[in-house]
Each structure stands twice: as C-alpha cells, then as structure tokens.
Amino acid sequence: MLRTALESIYIFSVIYLVLIYYKLCKNVIFLRRKSKTAIGYKNKKLERAVRAHSNFCETVPFILLISFILYFNNLLFFCVPMLIILIFGRTIHARAISNLNEKLEERRIGMKLTFYSLYIGLAGLIFYISQLIYFSLQASINTTILPQWQIYKPII
C-alpha cells in the first residue's frame, strides 16, 4: 500500500514537472510572438521568461535522471521527497525570476530547495552504491565460507 502511494506521488510529480516545463516554454513562445522577436531580447519580460525556462532546463533533467536511477532501484524513500522538494524549488524560482519586480529572497529559496533536492539524490546514490558493495561482500563471504563437500566414490 505504501509503495503504491509513493509510486503514485512520484509519477504525479514527474507529470507536474513536465507541465511546469510546458508552461515556461509556452510563456517564452507567447512573449516572442508578442514582441516579434525570433532571437535575443527586446524587453525585460522576455529576457526573464527565457531565463526562467533556461534555469529550469539546466537543473531539472539532471536531478530527474538521478531520481529515475533511484526509482528503478526501488529507493522510493529517496526519490519521492527529492522530487517534491524540487517541485517547490523550481515553482518558487520560476515565479520569482519571471516577475519584473523580482523578490530576490524567493529566488534564493527556490535555488536552495533545488540544491537540497540534489543533495537528497546524491545521498540516495551513495546509499545505493553502499548497498551494492555490502551485498556483493556478503555474497562473496557466504559462498566461500560454506563447507566444501567432496564426493567420494566408494571403494569396491
């Protein structure tokens, strides 16, 4: 039951991140069409929209890749909190940077939450690697300590 809930939260988190990406992309497209700018910036609002989209594209894929590694190795207790914190961080950061009257404190909070998400992912990867090492050592110890049975042929 807990696993099903965590998997559902994980999948909805990934969907939400995709929707944030789509919204940021559509915002850039809308502002480019409105200002008739193919490349570059003609106004501050377009520049901020492009930076919000770019910052999202620079950070989220790497963290999402780490979460996929953890998810497919059944470490949901790392990847679910990681994505939830990432969602809050990227949402706060995107709203702060897109606003012309930027609140720098909100932007900092968004960046900190993004880094906390990355730290959780790295802790999950370290935990996964330590599990691999531990179980490989256990396997090698348990297979070499077992008694070695020799088959003797009866002498007739």
Side-chain angles (χ1 to χ4, degrees):
M1 179 70 177
L2 178 64
R3 181 174 174 78
T4 305
L6 288 175
E7 284 187 2
S8 299
I9 293 169
Y10 180 80
I11 291 169
F12 285 126
S13 298
V14 172
I15 291 170
Y16 184 76
L17 285 170
V18 170
L19 292 175
I20 292 174
Y21 173 80
Y22 181 74
K23 181 180 180 254
L24 292 171
C25 186
K26 289 295 280 186
N27 191 26
V28 171
I29 292 169
F30 173 76
L31 290 173
R32 283 198 182 280
R33 285 182 180 165
K34 185 178 176 183
S35 65
K36 296 181 179 164
T37 305
I39 293 179
Y41 319 110
K42 281 189 178 177
N43 58 31
K44 280 284 193 191
K45 191 155 179 76
L46 175 59
E47 182 179 3
R48 288 188 166 276
V50 168
R51 283 310 313 153
H53 181 253
S54 299
N55 283 339
F56 189 90
C57 292
E58 291 163 358
T59 57
V60 172
F62 185 66
I63 296 174
L64 206 54
L65 177 66
I66 293 172
S67 79
F68 285 154
I69 293 169
L70 296 173
Y71 176 80
F72 287 115
N73 287 294
N74 296 321
L75 295 171
L76 291 169
F77 53 92
F78 281 107
C79 64
V80 170
M82 183 172 92
L83 280 189
I84 290 172
I85 292 172
L86 179 67
I87 284 172
F88 283 117
R90 289 289 91 195
T91 302
I92 292 168
H93 186 269
R95 284 185 184 161
I97 200 171
S98 296
N99 192 356
L100 286 175
N101 300 322
E102 176 184 1
K103 295 179 182 173
L104 196 58
E105 186 59 32
E106 286 183 7
R107 188 172 171 189
R108 284 187 190 129
I109 289 170
M111 292 184 317
K112 285 180 183 178
L113 288 174
T114 301
F115 281 115
Y116 293 153
S117 173
L118 182 62
Y119 297 151
I120 292 171
L122 291 176
L125 287 176
I126 291 169
F127 179 78
Y128 174 63
I129 290 169
S130 64
Q131 262 189 332
L132 286 176
I133 293 169
Y134 174 76
F135 287 121
S136 67
L137 288 175
Q138 284 291 336
S140 67
I141 290 171
N142 289 339
T143 55
T144 56
I145 292 180
L146 291 174
Q148 303 297 318
W149 298 100
Q150 294 180 357
I151 301 177
Y152 294 104
K153 291 185 180 179
I155 302 175
I156 305 180

